[in-house]
Amino acid sequence: MSIYNAPAQDTTFVLDQLVKFDKLCEALKLEEVNLELANVIVEEAGKLAAEVLAPLNAQGDANGAKLVDGKVQESPGYADAYQQYMANGWATLTAPEEFGGQALPNVVGTAVNELWHSANMAFALCPMLTQGSIEALIAHGSDELKALYLPRLISGEWTGTMNLTEPSAGSDLAAVATKAVPNDDHYLITGQKIYITWGDHQMTPNIVHLVLARLPDAPAGVKGISLFIVPKFLLDENGEPGELNDAKCISLEHKLGIHASPTCTLSFGDKGGAVGYLVGQANKGLAYMFTMMNHARQSVGLQGLSISERAYQQAVWYAKDRLQGTRKDGSKMPIIEHPDVRRMLMAQRAGCEATRGLALVAAAEIDRAHAGEAEASARVELLTPIVKGWMTEMANELTSLNIQVHGGMGFIEEAGAAQHYRDARILAIYEGTNGIQALDLIGRKTISDQGAALALLLQEMAGVEAELRAAGLDKFANRYAASVARATEVREWILQNAAADRQVMGAVAFDFLMLMGYLSGAWIMARSAASAKQLLAEDSAYDASFLNAKVATARFYAEHYLPRAEQHAQTLMTGLDAVFILDDDQF
Ligand SMILES: Cc1cc2nc3c(=O)[nH]c(=O)nc-3n(C[C@H](O)[C@H](O)[C@H](O)COP(=O)(O)OP(=O)(O)OC[C@H]3O[C@@H](n4cnc5c(N)ncnc54)[C@H](O)[C@@H]3O)c2cc1C
């Protein structure tokens, strides 16, 4: 089933009630942007997502990208869909006006990106990676590189790729071995990059590769990596794509999912060296990558929500349609009436609403950081690994529930549930595995500042208890307050027990990530429920049925998901003991 409808009302609710979108626009000095405009944009994007991209999703899965005569041929229909996406200006949404962008807030881009990824994640990866190259160039490129490449990347006329990974350099980028040798006004790049998303295709007249490589005299390790632009076609004197550069796709991976997204092995310099141009200063490449990391990682977390939402909609459709079992009056019942199916649908719904809220709240913190709000940068740093790590773990569970709702049919490819599950599995792996996200959260984001940013977040979370009580949601308030108190205890435990010992920190990091994920979800759902109650008491523009459902879904979250925070806290505080009981050779 290719049914997909943008969850517009929930997006509006989050932008309005949690993000406080109009105030955010004031802070960003965007006088002409407001919630009404954001709603129109989301609605329009929803049409392209539902009508053009969603129907191509299953088709791209069955008929993925192929390598034909040394060129990657994208799935049928994708080039046309890309043209529509580009022609309607969607690529330009959040980019700066001086290079042809519309300068809308990041949170609007995030709300819209949710729809692209829901409709067709394999497709949407292409603009997502382009976004990364745009950010790198804006932040670190010379004026000349910006003028040559940015307008066309921003318009979507060309696409971008990110080339970090090599066979021996995955999580550990210190091992990057690709070489860059100075040659006149440019560098000659030689080496091999693997797993490069949309590394080749025929949808646009050029592709701009951003490549990490080492100069001959570079120091060893992470401090010797530089960033280069390597266009597929070199630009002629008019800035138009001309001669083919010495960089090509030599193979495509056969993968578990996202078949329409070509995952390329790119070989640079088989004929002597691909022409590359240094971005920013030498040896700063990895630091530059970190400047884009928050956005890129949040985008992957968002993909987790997107695919879970698509899977949820499919599960609801199937649960209403599939008859199994007999009612007391003898009539056949749709499976949505069975309590266990109901539980699974509620789990999907609550998971999607909590992660949507978190994704948009975190995205708005990036906007606030840009607007110079003092605590926003630290908040972005703290929330990013939670958005990436927890939301993608949730996606594995939520897309699996869709299969379960379908019963045997879920395991059969024709139903389409399996595709979402397969597609979602990469999310916990790329853009830094969730193991790496967990280490980032506990190390760089918590221990490094002695838990300062975390203390502020926990304090803010604690304040929501009063909102719950004022809304008459006392049971939720009790559970919620207990979890916030537990997380506060865990913070102390980490600072006392893990800070001095890398092994302990590594052993407990994942439980900490998950604890913070479930708690952050509860924070979002608590605020949502309190707002919904308030709106129900007023004469609001929201449907009463939507608001009542919001309160009910939040209650489900508090009863079914929040207890997991306690479980992770308990496991965490056992420390290293059980993890390292066995010697390596006992495995
Ligand atoms: C479909 C797909 C698309 C991709 N797209 C791109 C792309 O466009 N550009 C790009 O550059 N790369 C891309 N990648 C690469 C991706 O980012 C890496 O696969 C990922 O970072 C993990 O690296 P690895 O595969 O080498 O795993 P490894 O680093 O070998 O990790 C294996 C396991 O060990 C764990 N581990 C490793 N080091 C540590 C550590 N220090 N502490 C704790 N645990 C650790 C990991 O968490 C993991 O569980 C893509 C990969 C895939 C599969």
Side-chain angles (χ1 to χ4, degrees), residues 434-448 493-513 572 574-577 579-580:
N434 284 356
I436 298 296
Q437 303 303 319
L439 285 177
D440 182 47
L441 179 66
I442 200 169
R444 288 181 61 238
K445 310 298 170 61
T446 301
I447 293 172
S448 288
W493 189 95
I494 288 172
L495 293 176
Q496 280 167 21
N497 297 280
D501 188 337
R502 277 187 77 82
Q503 289 288 79
V504 175
M505 186 178 90
V508 304
F510 189 75
D511 282 296
F512 182 50
L513 172 74
L572 187 152
T574 62
L576 199 55
D577 291 359
V579 176
F580 270 95

Side-chain angles (χ1 to χ4, degrees), residues 242-365:
E243 195 190 327
L244 192 62
N245 204 350
D246 185 7
K248 65 168 193 282
C249 173
I250 53 170
S251 69
L252 275 188
E253 302 296 349
H254 300 277
K255 322 189 282 289
L256 182 64
I258 52 168
H259 294 155
S261 166
T263 302
C264 305
T265 300
L266 292 186
S267 183
F268 294 89
D270 290 352
K271 295 177 188 155
V275 173
Y277 305 95
L278 182 67
V279 177
Q281 294 173 28
N283 300 330
K284 293 266 170 74
L286 210 61
Y288 293 165
M289 283 290 160
F290 269 91
T291 60
M292 304 171 312
M293 207 78 103
N294 289 324
H295 188 270
R297 290 184 166 175
Q298 287 196 15
S299 297
V300 175
L302 182 77
Q303 292 185 312
L305 154 67
S306 301
I307 205 150
S308 303
E309 170 67 34
R310 177 90 188 252
Y312 164 62
Q313 291 189 20
Q314 191 188 27
V316 170
W317 175 85
Y318 189 79
K320 286 182 177 173
D321 189 62
R322 167 77 174 156
L323 302 177
Q324 200 64 195
T326 311
R327 296 191 184 102
K328 278 191 186 138
D329 66 3
S331 61
K332 286 283 175 200
M333 65 204 277
I335 59 169
I336 195 169
E337 292 181 21
H338 293 298
D340 189 52
V341 173
R342 209 49 167 239
R343 171 191 64 78
M344 292 191 276
L345 295 178
M346 282 302 284
Q348 287 182 273
R349 183 185 180 111
C352 288
E353 289 188 15
T355 52
R356 176 172 302 108
L358 185 61
L360 294 179
V361 163
E365 291 294 342

Side-chain angles (χ1 to χ4, degrees), residues 129 162-165 169-172 194-197 255 258 263 426 429-433 435-436 439:
L129 269 296
M162 305 300 281
N163 293 247
L164 287 70
T165 309
S171 300
D172 180 14
I194 60 169
Y195 303 152
I196 304 309
T197 298
K255 322 189 282 289
I258 52 168
T263 302
I426 184 58
I429 298 170
Y430 62 25
E431 201 48 53
T433 63
I436 298 296
L439 285 177

